[in-house]
Amino acid sequence: MAVLLTATTLTLAGPAVANADAASLCAGRPTRTVAFPGGEIRLYRSRQYVCATTVATHPGARRAMSISLQPRGGHPAVDTGNYTRQAGPITVHALNRCVRATGAIAGRSASTGWVLC
């Protein structure tokens, strides 16, 4: 019985996440990528929502990372902290609205401007 329970638990848990692409946890299709020294901002869009992450080019030691996603006319959603691989994901409701994303890793940053209009 214990063997069956262990096998069922492992089957339901699924495989371990091995890279940043699989770990993004953003729903929707990839829409835009903005590269900057040290990393990139990745945007994903579904019908009503936009999701964003900041992903480090070289994962490793903890460093300051942030991602901010703002729908036009709304308040920004922000994730800031010391991470090894990525900041986010963060999601905002953006049906028929432009969004602006800003990401930073260890003092280097990039912004998309108003996109996905």
Side-chain angles (χ1 to χ4, degrees):
M1 183 68 165
V3 173
L4 180 61
L5 182 61
T6 304
T8 304
T9 304
L10 290 175
T11 303
L12 293 176
V17 175
N19 61 30
D21 292 329
S24 71
L25 303 176
C26 279
R29 67 186 191 291
T31 314
R32 177 147 321 183
T33 301
V34 177
F36 62 95
E40 61 188 19
I41 300 169
R42 296 180 185 171
L43 293 175
Y44 299 83
R45 183 176 200 138
S46 62
R47 173 145 165 62
Q48 295 183 359
Y49 295 93
V50 175
C51 181
T53 61
T54 298
V55 181
T57 305
H58 303 291
R62 289 192 176 275
R63 55 194 171 252
M65 290 187 186
S66 67
I67 183 71
S68 170
L69 184 60
Q70 178 181 8
R72 185 170 287 204
H75 295 285
V78 180
D79 180 26
T80 302
N82 291 318
Y83 302 110
T84 59
R85 177 170 296 156
Q86 74 179 34
I90 55 173
T91 303
V92 296
H93 187 267
L95 181 64
N96 299 324
R97 293 201 284 180
C98 304
V99 295
R100 175 174 49 195
T102 303
I105 298 176
R108 295 182 174 182
S109 65
S111 182
T112 62
W114 294 109
V115 295
L116 307 179
C117 297

